[in-house]
Amino acid sequence: MKDLEERVKKLKRILAEGNAVFFGGAGVSTESGVPDFRSSGGIFTKKYAYPPEEILSHGFFRRHTDVFYDFYKKYMMPLSAKPNAAHIALAKLEEKGLLKAVITQNIDGLHQAAGSVNVLELHGSIHRNTCTECGRKYDARYIADSDGVPRCACGGIIKPDVVLYGEPLPEDTFAKADMYVREADALIVGGTSLNVYPAAGLVYAFGGKNLVLINKSALATRGASLTFDEPIGEVFSLLGL
């Protein structure tokens, strides 16, 4: 415990210097009850007629839209989830001017629900949905409450504004994320295995003073100033913000 306290003190000193950026993944939201992808019990372990990674691809969405939405509504829309200690702490750090941006691979919108403003969503959001015919926008509740494949008032199929396998990341968002990482003095990486590219490649653009890693499993990234293998919510709750 003493070792953890000392590491938290060091994290406080790093954050106090300002100009920090946070880069996070699925592990940030697991403490909110949102399943991750690759751990035991994760979304990719679900038994289904097709492999989940295939279901969550652009080609599958086009070919088997009904099967896609059956899976998506069951496992990808945690609308009852609430922000946890990590989300709340990050919002407070931004409010204090100590955190410049939150870069997330998550699509659940929990950072915004906690109060974060400058959130760069690399993989989109379940809260934005667009008709593939006329471009009309719909919220997540409309999708969740629809029977089968959600359709627009014009009759067109609605697609979630999330990045599926086989689709590129949003260029503007990725460019902004790259800029923030390159200009940051401290990069805090939390709740991500750094296995999903090109998003994970952002870490290697960082050339600042302090790289902080917070993840339950060891990460291959070298040169970290500080590491935590404790739950991310526990680490941020100890900051006492």
Side-chain angles (χ1 to χ4, degrees):
M1 181 62 182
K2 185 176 181 180
D3 175 59
L4 175 58
E5 290 176 354
E6 290 301 315
R7 283 180 287 136
V8 170
K9 287 180 181 179
K10 184 174 181 179
L11 178 56
K12 285 182 178 180
R13 292 195 295 270
I14 291 171
L15 288 168
E17 295 177 7
N19 197 25
V21 169
F22 179 82
F23 174 57
V28 178
S29 292
T30 53
E31 291 171 58
S32 294
V34 180
D36 62 11
F37 289 88
R38 292 171 175 80
S39 69
S40 60
I43 290 171
F44 285 170
T45 67
K46 303 301 181 184
K47 301 299 182 184
Y48 225 72
Y50 300 87
E53 287 180 275
E54 182 181 351
I55 294 172
L56 297 175
S57 69
H58 179 70
F60 192 93
F61 172 82
R62 294 183 64 184
R63 294 190 305 271
H64 306 288
T65 313
D66 55 340
V67 180
F68 169 88
Y69 265 116
D70 185 63
F71 184 90
Y72 180 80
K73 291 178 188 179
K74 284 181 181 177
Y75 301 117
M76 304 293 290
M77 300 190 72
L79 298 187
S80 62
K82 303 297 182 185
N84 61 50
H87 297 110
I88 294 168
L90 289 165
K92 289 181 178 178
L93 287 169
E94 182 185 24
E95 184 179 5
K96 292 174 179 289
L98 302 177
L99 190 71
K100 298 297 184 182
V102 169
I103 303 167
T104 182
Q105 298 172 85
N106 295 343
I107 60 175
D108 51 41
L110 291 179
H111 285 295
Q112 292 93 329
S116 289
V117 176
N118 193 18
V119 181
L120 303 176
E121 296 173 311
L122 296 177
H123 294 157
S125 173
I126 63 172
H127 298 285
R128 299 187 299 272
N129 304 273
T130 305
C131 174
T132 57
E133 295 294 330
C134 72
R136 183 173 177 177
K137 303 296 183 180
Y138 290 87
D139 62 16
R141 179 50 59 190
Y142 183 89
I143 303 301
D145 291 345
S146 63
D147 292 327
V149 176
R151 290 188 175 272
C152 176
C154 78
I157 293 173
I158 300 169
K159 182 187 178 296
D161 290 354
V162 300
V163 178
L164 303 176
Y165 287 105
E167 293 182 325
L169 298 188
E171 290 184 11
D172 289 350
T173 303
F174 189 83
K176 287 180 183 178
D178 182 75
M179 178 197 70
Y180 276 110
V181 169
R182 291 181 184 278
E183 294 181 354
D185 293 321
L187 177 63
I188 304 167
V189 179
T192 174
S193 62
L194 296 178
N195 285 329
V196 179
Y197 285 82
L202 283 171
V203 176
Y204 301 103
F206 176 66
K209 181 179 177 182
N210 290 296
L211 175 62
V212 179
L213 304 179
I214 309 174
N215 199 59
K216 287 185 177 181
S217 60
L219 298 177
T221 305
R222 298 176 181 271
S225 308
L226 185 61
T227 62
F228 296 86
D229 58 8
E230 293 83 5
I232 190 168
E234 177 184 352
V235 173
F236 276 109
S237 65
L238 291 173
L239 291 174
L241 297 169

mmCIF file of all heavy atoms in Angstrom, residues 65-108:
data_model
loop_
_atom_site.group_PDB
_atom_site.id
_atom_site.type_symbol
_atom_site.label_atom_id
_atom_site.label_comp_id
_atom_site.label_asym_id
_atom_site.label_seq_id
_atom_site.Cartn_x
_atom_site.Cartn_y
_atom_site.Cartn_z
ATOM 1 N N THR A 65 -27.380 -6.906 -41.746
ATOM 2 C CA THR A 65 -27.687 -5.776 -40.859
ATOM 3 C C THR A 65 -28.532 -6.214 -39.669
ATOM 4 O O THR A 65 -28.351 -5.704 -38.549
ATOM 5 C CB THR A 65 -28.415 -4.668 -41.633
ATOM 6 O OG1 THR A 65 -27.729 -4.418 -42.854
ATOM 7 C CG2 THR A 65 -28.471 -3.388 -40.824
ATOM 8 N N ASP A 66 -29.443 -7.159 -39.880
ATOM 9 C CA ASP A 66 -30.297 -7.620 -38.781
ATOM 10 C C ASP A 66 -29.498 -8.330 -37.702
ATOM 11 O O ASP A 66 -29.710 -8.090 -36.499
ATOM 12 C CB ASP A 66 -31.405 -8.539 -39.315
ATOM 13 C CG ASP A 66 -30.867 -9.715 -40.112
ATOM 14 O OD1 ASP A 66 -29.707 -9.656 -40.582
ATOM 15 O OD2 ASP A 66 -31.610 -10.704 -40.262
ATOM 16 N N VAL A 67 -28.543 -9.177 -38.093
ATOM 17 C CA VAL A 67 -27.704 -9.883 -37.118
ATOM 18 C C VAL A 67 -26.781 -8.889 -36.408
ATOM 19 O O VAL A 67 -26.574 -8.967 -35.193
ATOM 20 C CB VAL A 67 -26.871 -10.990 -37.794
ATOM 21 C CG1 VAL A 67 -26.001 -11.717 -36.776
ATOM 22 C CG2 VAL A 67 -27.782 -11.969 -38.519
ATOM 23 N N PHE A 68 -26.239 -7.946 -37.166
ATOM 24 C CA PHE A 68 -25.395 -6.906 -36.574
ATOM 25 C C PHE A 68 -26.134 -6.200 -35.449
ATOM 26 O O PHE A 68 -25.625 -6.050 -34.337
ATOM 27 C CB PHE A 68 -24.964 -5.895 -37.633
ATOM 28 C CG PHE A 68 -24.308 -4.659 -37.056
ATOM 29 C CD1 PHE A 68 -22.954 -4.616 -36.826
ATOM 30 C CD2 PHE A 68 -25.079 -3.533 -36.718
ATOM 31 C CE1 PHE A 68 -22.347 -3.484 -36.280
ATOM 32 C CE2 PHE A 68 -24.487 -2.404 -36.163
ATOM 33 C CZ PHE A 68 -23.124 -2.378 -35.944
ATOM 34 N N TYR A 69 -27.354 -5.748 -35.735
ATOM 35 C CA TYR A 69 -28.086 -4.969 -34.736
ATOM 36 C C TYR A 69 -28.535 -5.816 -33.555
ATOM 37 O O TYR A 69 -28.624 -5.317 -32.428
ATOM 38 C CB TYR A 69 -29.264 -4.240 -35.379
ATOM 39 C CG TYR A 69 -28.906 -2.835 -35.765
ATOM 40 C CD1 TYR A 69 -28.900 -2.429 -37.086
ATOM 41 C CD2 TYR A 69 -28.540 -1.899 -34.792
ATOM 42 C CE1 TYR A 69 -28.556 -1.127 -37.441
ATOM 43 C CE2 TYR A 69 -28.196 -0.612 -35.133
ATOM 44 C CZ TYR A 69 -28.203 -0.223 -36.451
ATOM 45 O OH TYR A 69 -27.844 1.067 -36.782
ATOM 46 N N ASP A 70 -28.807 -7.087 -33.764
ATOM 47 C CA ASP A 70 -29.150 -7.953 -32.654
ATOM 48 C C ASP A 70 -27.984 -8.020 -31.667
ATOM 49 O O ASP A 70 -28.171 -7.900 -30.447
ATOM 50 C CB ASP A 70 -29.488 -9.359 -33.168
ATOM 51 C CG ASP A 70 -29.973 -10.272 -32.062
ATOM 52 O OD1 ASP A 70 -31.028 -9.978 -31.464
ATOM 53 O OD2 ASP A 70 -29.277 -11.280 -31.774
ATOM 54 N N PHE A 71 -26.789 -8.170 -32.184
ATOM 55 C CA PHE A 71 -25.579 -8.220 -31.351
ATOM 56 C C PHE A 71 -25.275 -6.841 -30.756
ATOM 57 O O PHE A 71 -25.007 -6.708 -29.556
ATOM 58 C CB PHE A 71 -24.398 -8.703 -32.197
ATOM 59 C CG PHE A 71 -23.117 -8.875 -31.429
ATOM 60 C CD1 PHE A 71 -22.816 -10.092 -30.844
ATOM 61 C CD2 PHE A 71 -22.212 -7.831 -31.296
ATOM 62 C CE1 PHE A 71 -21.635 -10.262 -30.135
ATOM 63 C CE2 PHE A 71 -21.029 -7.993 -30.586
ATOM 64 C CZ PHE A 71 -20.742 -9.212 -30.008
ATOM 65 N N TYR A 72 -25.318 -5.830 -31.574
ATOM 66 C CA TYR A 72 -24.966 -4.470 -31.166
ATOM 67 C C TYR A 72 -25.850 -3.980 -30.017
ATOM 68 O O TYR A 72 -25.367 -3.410 -29.037
ATOM 69 C CB TYR A 72 -25.096 -3.546 -32.378
ATOM 70 C CG TYR A 72 -24.761 -2.098 -32.138
ATOM 71 C CD1 TYR A 72 -23.448 -1.662 -32.114
ATOM 72 C CD2 TYR A 72 -25.773 -1.145 -31.958
ATOM 73 C CE1 TYR A 72 -23.134 -0.325 -31.908
ATOM 74 C CE2 TYR A 72 -25.477 0.191 -31.764
ATOM 75 C CZ TYR A 72 -24.154 0.597 -31.730
ATOM 76 O OH TYR A 72 -23.854 1.923 -31.525
ATOM 77 N N LYS A 73 -27.149 -4.202 -30.126
ATOM 78 C CA LYS A 73 -28.064 -3.743 -29.079
ATOM 79 C C LYS A 73 -27.854 -4.496 -27.769
ATOM 80 O O LYS A 73 -28.020 -3.928 -26.682
ATOM 81 C CB LYS A 73 -29.513 -3.878 -29.534
ATOM 82 C CG LYS A 73 -29.912 -2.928 -30.652
ATOM 83 C CD LYS A 73 -31.367 -3.168 -31.060
ATOM 84 C CE LYS A 73 -31.764 -2.396 -32.273
ATOM 85 N NZ LYS A 73 -33.162 -2.643 -32.681
ATOM 86 N N LYS A 74 -27.490 -5.766 -27.864
ATOM 87 C CA LYS A 74 -27.290 -6.567 -26.659
ATOM 88 C C LYS A 74 -26.002 -6.212 -25.925
ATOM 89 O O LYS A 74 -25.966 -6.164 -24.696
ATOM 90 C CB LYS A 74 -27.256 -8.059 -27.014
ATOM 91 C CG LYS A 74 -28.598 -8.670 -27.316
ATOM 92 C CD LYS A 74 -28.448 -10.154 -27.636
ATOM 93 C CE LYS A 74 -29.797 -10.790 -27.958
ATOM 94 N NZ LYS A 74 -29.645 -12.223 -28.344
ATOM 95 N N TYR A 75 -24.933 -5.965 -26.683
ATOM 96 C CA TYR A 75 -23.608 -5.892 -26.059
ATOM 97 C C TYR A 75 -22.875 -4.563 -26.216
ATOM 98 O O TYR A 75 -21.885 -4.335 -25.515
ATOM 99 C CB TYR A 75 -22.722 -6.995 -26.635
ATOM 100 C CG TYR A 75 -23.265 -8.386 -26.423
ATOM 101 C CD1 TYR A 75 -23.619 -9.190 -27.495
ATOM 102 C CD2 TYR A 75 -23.447 -8.890 -25.129
ATOM 103 C CE1 TYR A 75 -24.123 -10.471 -27.302
ATOM 104 C CE2 TYR A 75 -23.945 -10.161 -24.929
ATOM 105 C CZ TYR A 75 -24.288 -10.944 -26.011
ATOM 106 O OH TYR A 75 -24.796 -12.212 -25.820
ATOM 107 N N MET A 76 -23.333 -3.685 -27.080
ATOM 108 C CA MET A 76 -22.564 -2.478 -27.374
ATOM 109 C C MET A 76 -23.253 -1.187 -26.946
ATOM 110 O O MET A 76 -22.731 -0.104 -27.219
ATOM 111 C CB MET A 76 -22.285 -2.413 -28.884
ATOM 112 C CG MET A 76 -21.585 -3.627 -29.454
ATOM 113 S SD MET A 76 -19.899 -3.839 -28.874
ATOM 114 C CE MET A 76 -19.105 -2.461 -29.692
ATOM 115 N N MET A 77 -24.407 -1.302 -26.295
ATOM 116 C CA MET A 77 -25.160 -0.098 -25.927
ATOM 117 C C MET A 77 -25.465 -0.067 -24.425
ATOM 118 O O MET A 77 -26.610 -0.255 -24.002
ATOM 119 C CB MET A 77 -26.457 -0.009 -26.734
ATOM 120 C CG MET A 77 -26.264 0.045 -28.230
ATOM 121 S SD MET A 77 -27.804 0.428 -29.112
ATOM 122 C CE MET A 77 -28.014 2.173 -28.681
ATOM 123 N N PRO A 78 -24.468 0.206 -23.604
ATOM 124 C CA PRO A 78 -24.670 0.224 -22.148
ATOM 125 C C PRO A 78 -25.300 1.536 -21.671
ATOM 126 O O PRO A 78 -24.674 2.342 -20.963
ATOM 127 C CB PRO A 78 -23.244 0.056 -21.611
ATOM 128 C CG PRO A 78 -22.407 0.762 -22.637
ATOM 129 C CD PRO A 78 -23.069 0.501 -23.968
ATOM 130 N N LEU A 79 -26.551 1.760 -22.043
ATOM 131 C CA LEU A 79 -27.166 3.066 -21.785
ATOM 132 C C LEU A 79 -27.424 3.333 -20.305
ATOM 133 O O LEU A 79 -27.611 4.480 -19.909
ATOM 134 C CB LEU A 79 -28.475 3.178 -22.577
ATOM 135 C CG LEU A 79 -28.347 3.116 -24.103
ATOM 136 C CD1 LEU A 79 -29.682 3.399 -24.758
ATOM 137 C CD2 LEU A 79 -27.280 4.082 -24.607
ATOM 138 N N SER A 80 -27.437 2.293 -19.480
ATOM 139 C CA SER A 80 -27.671 2.499 -18.053
ATOM 140 C C SER A 80 -26.372 2.718 -17.274
ATOM 141 O O SER A 80 -26.417 3.002 -16.067
ATOM 142 C CB SER A 80 -28.425 1.300 -17.459
ATOM 143 O OG SER A 80 -27.663 0.116 -17.587
ATOM 144 N N ALA A 81 -25.232 2.588 -17.924
ATOM 145 C CA ALA A 81 -23.943 2.738 -17.242
ATOM 146 C C ALA A 81 -23.731 4.182 -16.795
ATOM 147 O O ALA A 81 -24.153 5.129 -17.459
ATOM 148 C CB ALA A 81 -22.812 2.297 -18.156
ATOM 149 N N LYS A 82 -23.062 4.338 -15.655
ATOM 150 C CA LYS A 82 -22.767 5.664 -15.103
ATOM 151 C C LYS A 82 -21.252 5.864 -15.013
ATOM 152 O O LYS A 82 -20.503 4.902 -14.866
ATOM 153 C CB LYS A 82 -23.371 5.799 -13.697
ATOM 154 C CG LYS A 82 -24.873 5.569 -13.634
ATOM 155 C CD LYS A 82 -25.644 6.595 -14.433
ATOM 156 C CE LYS A 82 -27.154 6.366 -14.319
ATOM 157 N NZ LYS A 82 -27.913 7.290 -15.194
ATOM 158 N N PRO A 83 -20.800 7.104 -15.080
ATOM 159 C CA PRO A 83 -19.360 7.370 -14.954
ATOM 160 C C PRO A 83 -18.815 6.858 -13.630
ATOM 161 O O PRO A 83 -19.494 6.913 -12.594
ATOM 162 C CB PRO A 83 -19.281 8.895 -15.028
ATOM 163 C CG PRO A 83 -20.514 9.314 -15.750
ATOM 164 C CD PRO A 83 -21.576 8.335 -15.337
ATOM 165 N N ASN A 84 -17.591 6.347 -13.649
ATOM 166 C CA ASN A 84 -16.946 5.882 -12.426
ATOM 167 C C ASN A 84 -15.900 6.898 -11.967
ATOM 168 O O ASN A 84 -15.783 7.998 -12.523
ATOM 169 C CB ASN A 84 -16.346 4.486 -12.639
ATOM 170 C CG ASN A 84 -15.275 4.456 -13.718
ATOM 171 O OD1 ASN A 84 -14.347 5.261 -13.728
ATOM 172 N ND2 ASN A 84 -15.391 3.511 -14.646
ATOM 173 N N ALA A 85 -15.131 6.508 -10.949
ATOM 174 C CA ALA A 85 -14.174 7.441 -10.349
ATOM 175 C C ALA A 85 -13.148 7.966 -11.346
ATOM 176 O O ALA A 85 -12.710 9.118 -11.253
ATOM 177 C CB ALA A 85 -13.454 6.751 -9.187
ATOM 178 N N ALA A 86 -12.763 7.137 -12.320
ATOM 179 C CA ALA A 86 -11.783 7.579 -13.306
ATOM 180 C C ALA A 86 -12.372 8.655 -14.211
ATOM 181 O O ALA A 86 -11.745 9.693 -14.451
ATOM 182 C CB ALA A 86 -11.301 6.395 -14.139
ATOM 183 N N HIS A 87 -13.576 8.419 -14.726
ATOM 184 C CA HIS A 87 -14.225 9.427 -15.572
ATOM 185 C C HIS A 87 -14.370 10.756 -14.825
ATOM 186 O O HIS A 87 -14.094 11.831 -15.378
ATOM 187 C CB HIS A 87 -15.626 8.956 -15.993
ATOM 188 C CG HIS A 87 -15.655 7.724 -16.823
ATOM 189 N ND1 HIS A 87 -16.126 6.519 -16.352
ATOM 190 C CD2 HIS A 87 -15.280 7.494 -18.113
ATOM 191 C CE1 HIS A 87 -16.053 5.612 -17.308
ATOM 192 N NE2 HIS A 87 -15.549 6.167 -18.379
ATOM 193 N N ILE A 88 -14.816 10.671 -13.587
ATOM 194 C CA ILE A 88 -15.082 11.879 -12.798
ATOM 195 C C ILE A 88 -13.790 12.633 -12.505
ATOM 196 O O ILE A 88 -13.726 13.866 -12.608
ATOM 197 C CB ILE A 88 -15.813 11.509 -11.493
ATOM 198 C CG1 ILE A 88 -17.214 10.962 -11.830
ATOM 199 C CG2 ILE A 88 -15.909 12.706 -10.559
ATOM 200 C CD1 ILE A 88 -17.920 10.301 -10.667
ATOM 201 N N ALA A 89 -12.728 11.902 -12.166
ATOM 202 C CA ALA A 89 -11.440 12.544 -11.874
ATOM 203 C C ALA A 89 -10.875 13.234 -13.107
ATOM 204 O O ALA A 89 -10.343 14.351 -13.025
ATOM 205 C CB ALA A 89 -10.450 11.507 -11.347
ATOM 206 N N LEU A 90 -10.991 12.611 -14.253
ATOM 207 C CA LEU A 90 -10.491 13.218 -15.484
ATOM 208 C C LEU A 90 -11.236 14.510 -15.806
ATOM 209 O O LEU A 90 -10.634 15.496 -16.252
ATOM 210 C CB LEU A 90 -10.616 12.227 -16.639
ATOM 211 C CG LEU A 90 -9.650 11.036 -16.585
ATOM 212 C CD1 LEU A 90 -10.081 9.945 -17.551
ATOM 213 C CD2 LEU A 90 -8.222 11.486 -16.893
ATOM 214 N N ALA A 91 -12.546 14.514 -15.574
ATOM 215 C CA ALA A 91 -13.321 15.737 -15.792
ATOM 216 C C ALA A 91 -12.868 16.847 -14.845
ATOM 217 O O ALA A 91 -12.757 18.016 -15.244
ATOM 218 C CB ALA A 91 -14.810 15.451 -15.608
ATOM 219 N N LYS A 92 -12.572 16.489 -13.603
ATOM 220 C CA LYS A 92 -12.114 17.487 -12.627
ATOM 221 C C LYS A 92 -10.732 18.014 -12.984
ATOM 222 O O LYS A 92 -10.450 19.209 -12.821
ATOM 223 C CB LYS A 92 -12.110 16.882 -11.225
ATOM 224 C CG LYS A 92 -13.500 16.633 -10.657
ATOM 225 C CD LYS A 92 -13.437 16.059 -9.256
ATOM 226 C CE LYS A 92 -14.836 15.858 -8.676
ATOM 227 N NZ LYS A 92 -14.785 15.247 -7.312
ATOM 228 N N LEU A 93 -9.872 17.153 -13.485
ATOM 229 C CA LEU A 93 -8.535 17.591 -13.898
ATOM 230 C C LEU A 93 -8.621 18.583 -15.052
ATOM 231 O O LEU A 93 -7.884 19.573 -15.099
ATOM 232 C CB LEU A 93 -7.687 16.383 -14.300
ATOM 233 C CG LEU A 93 -7.201 15.492 -13.157
ATOM 234 C CD1 LEU A 93 -6.619 14.197 -13.703
ATOM 235 C CD2 LEU A 93 -6.157 16.225 -12.301
ATOM 236 N N GLU A 94 -9.534 18.322 -15.993
ATOM 237 C CA GLU A 94 -9.727 19.255 -17.099
ATOM 238 C C GLU A 94 -10.267 20.589 -16.582
ATOM 239 O O GLU A 94 -9.807 21.666 -16.996
ATOM 240 C CB GLU A 94 -10.690 18.674 -18.134
ATOM 241 C CG GLU A 94 -10.894 19.591 -19.338
ATOM 242 C CD GLU A 94 -11.944 19.061 -20.306
ATOM 243 O OE1 GLU A 94 -12.824 18.282 -19.878
ATOM 244 O OE2 GLU A 94 -11.900 19.448 -21.479
ATOM 245 N N GLU A 95 -11.218 20.517 -15.663
ATOM 246 C CA GLU A 95 -11.809 21.730 -15.098
ATOM 247 C C GLU A 95 -10.754 22.585 -14.388
ATOM 248 O O GLU A 95 -10.801 23.826 -14.436
ATOM 249 C CB GLU A 95 -12.916 21.352 -14.113
ATOM 250 C CG GLU A 95 -13.674 22.527 -13.544
ATOM 251 C CD GLU A 95 -14.772 22.101 -12.579
ATOM 252 O OE1 GLU A 95 -14.874 20.889 -12.274
ATOM 253 O OE2 GLU A 95 -15.525 22.978 -12.132
ATOM 254 N N LYS A 96 -9.781 21.914 -13.766
ATOM 255 C CA LYS A 96 -8.705 22.624 -13.050
ATOM 256 C C LYS A 96 -7.617 23.124 -13.991
ATOM 257 O O LYS A 96 -6.674 23.792 -13.563
ATOM 258 C CB LYS A 96 -8.084 21.691 -11.996
ATOM 259 C CG LYS A 96 -8.999 21.329 -10.835
ATOM 260 C CD LYS A 96 -8.327 20.301 -9.936
ATOM 261 C CE LYS A 96 -9.202 19.922 -8.748
ATOM 262 N NZ LYS A 96 -9.299 21.014 -7.756
ATOM 263 N N GLY A 97 -7.726 22.809 -15.272
ATOM 264 C CA GLY A 97 -6.732 23.247 -16.238
ATOM 265 C C GLY A 97 -5.486 22.384 -16.278
ATOM 266 O O GLY A 97 -4.474 22.785 -16.870
ATOM 267 N N LEU A 98 -5.544 21.205 -15.668
ATOM 268 C CA LEU A 98 -4.374 20.328 -15.602
ATOM 269 C C LEU A 98 -4.352 19.279 -16.711
ATOM 270 O O LEU A 98 -3.322 18.652 -16.947
ATOM 271 C CB LEU A 98 -4.323 19.626 -14.239
ATOM 272 C CG LEU A 98 -4.274 20.545 -13.017
ATOM 273 C CD1 LEU A 98 -4.296 19.728 -11.733
ATOM 274 C CD2 LEU A 98 -3.028 21.425 -13.074
ATOM 275 N N LEU A 99 -5.485 19.086 -17.365
ATOM 276 C CA LEU A 99 -5.598 18.086 -18.419
ATOM 277 C C LEU A 99 -6.114 18.761 -19.685
ATOM 278 O O LEU A 99 -7.165 19.401 -19.668
ATOM 279 C CB LEU A 99 -6.554 16.963 -17.992
ATOM 280 C CG LEU A 99 -6.609 15.724 -18.879
ATOM 281 C CD1 LEU A 99 -5.324 14.907 -18.735
ATOM 282 C CD2 LEU A 99 -7.811 14.854 -18.536
ATOM 283 N N LYS A 100 -5.363 18.618 -20.771
ATOM 284 C CA LYS A 100 -5.713 19.306 -22.012
ATOM 285 C C LYS A 100 -6.786 18.575 -22.814
ATOM 286 O O LYS A 100 -7.612 19.214 -23.479
ATOM 287 C CB LYS A 100 -4.463 19.480 -22.881
ATOM 288 C CG LYS A 100 -3.377 20.328 -22.251
ATOM 289 C CD LYS A 100 -3.842 21.754 -22.013
ATOM 290 C CE LYS A 100 -2.711 22.616 -21.471
ATOM 291 N NZ LYS A 100 -3.144 23.999 -21.195
ATOM 292 N N ALA A 101 -6.760 17.253 -22.780
ATOM 293 C CA ALA A 101 -7.700 16.500 -23.607
ATOM 294 C C ALA A 101 -7.821 15.071 -23.108
ATOM 295 O O ALA A 101 -6.891 14.528 -22.494
ATOM 296 C CB ALA A 101 -7.258 16.500 -25.065
ATOM 297 N N VAL A 102 -8.967 14.473 -23.377
ATOM 298 C CA VAL A 102 -9.184 13.040 -23.189
ATOM 299 C C VAL A 102 -9.320 12.429 -24.573
ATOM 300 O O VAL A 102 -10.200 12.805 -25.340
ATOM 301 C CB VAL A 102 -10.458 12.759 -22.365
ATOM 302 C CG1 VAL A 102 -10.809 11.272 -22.421
ATOM 303 C CG2 VAL A 102 -10.275 13.202 -20.922
ATOM 304 N N ILE A 103 -8.423 11.506 -24.872
ATOM 305 C CA ILE A 103 -8.490 10.758 -26.134
ATOM 306 C C ILE A 103 -8.977 9.358 -25.784
ATOM 307 O O ILE A 103 -8.368 8.675 -24.956
ATOM 308 C CB ILE A 103 -7.104 10.686 -26.804
ATOM 309 C CG1 ILE A 103 -6.554 12.093 -27.044
ATOM 310 C CG2 ILE A 103 -7.177 9.904 -28.114
ATOM 311 C CD1 ILE A 103 -5.082 12.124 -27.406
ATOM 312 N N THR A 104 -10.084 8.950 -26.362
ATOM 313 C CA THR A 104 -10.661 7.666 -25.971
ATOM 314 C C THR A 104 -10.969 6.775 -27.163
ATOM 315 O O THR A 104 -11.339 7.247 -28.239
ATOM 316 C CB THR A 104 -11.945 7.878 -25.135
ATOM 317 O OG1 THR A 104 -12.471 6.603 -24.735
ATOM 318 C CG2 THR A 104 -13.003 8.632 -25.926
ATOM 319 N N GLN A 105 -10.789 5.473 -26.937
ATOM 320 C CA GLN A 105 -11.201 4.468 -27.904
ATOM 321 C C GLN A 105 -12.627 3.994 -27.609
ATOM 322 O O GLN A 105 -13.179 3.190 -28.367
ATOM 323 C CB GLN A 105 -10.240 3.277 -27.862
ATOM 324 C CG GLN A 105 -8.809 3.640 -28.223
ATOM 325 C CD GLN A 105 -7.859 2.492 -27.989
ATOM 326 O OE1 GLN A 105 -7.699 1.628 -28.836
ATOM 327 N NE2 GLN A 105 -7.235 2.473 -26.822
ATOM 328 N N ASN A 106 -13.192 4.462 -26.501
ATOM 329 C CA ASN A 106 -14.525 4.017 -26.090
ATOM 330 C C ASN A 106 -15.615 4.759 -26.850
ATOM 331 O O ASN A 106 -15.431 5.896 -27.285
ATOM 332 C CB ASN A 106 -14.705 4.207 -24.589
ATOM 333 C CG ASN A 106 -13.771 3.318 -23.793
ATOM 334 O OD1 ASN A 106 -13.225 2.353 -24.322
ATOM 335 N ND2 ASN A 106 -13.564 3.636 -22.525
ATOM 336 N N ILE A 107 -16.766 4.107 -26.941
ATOM 337 C CA ILE A 107 -17.894 4.673 -27.688
ATOM 338 C C ILE A 107 -19.100 4.924 -26.782
ATOM 339 O O ILE A 107 -20.187 5.224 -27.266
ATOM 340 C CB ILE A 107 -18.297 3.751 -28.855
ATOM 341 C CG1 ILE A 107 -18.718 2.367 -28.356
ATOM 342 C CG2 ILE A 107 -17.147 3.631 -29.865
ATOM 343 C CD1 ILE A 107 -19.251 1.437 -29.441
ATOM 344 N N ASP A 108 -18.909 4.810 -25.461
ATOM 345 C CA ASP A 108 -20.051 4.832 -24.534
ATOM 346 C C ASP A 108 -20.466 6.222 -24.077
ATOM 347 O O ASP A 108 -21.513 6.388 -23.446
ATOM 348 C CB ASP A 108 -19.756 3.950 -23.315
ATOM 349 C CG ASP A 108 -18.416 4.255 -22.654
ATOM 350 O OD1 ASP A 108 -18.055 5.445 -22.528
ATOM 351 O OD2 ASP A 108 -17.721 3.298 -22.258
#
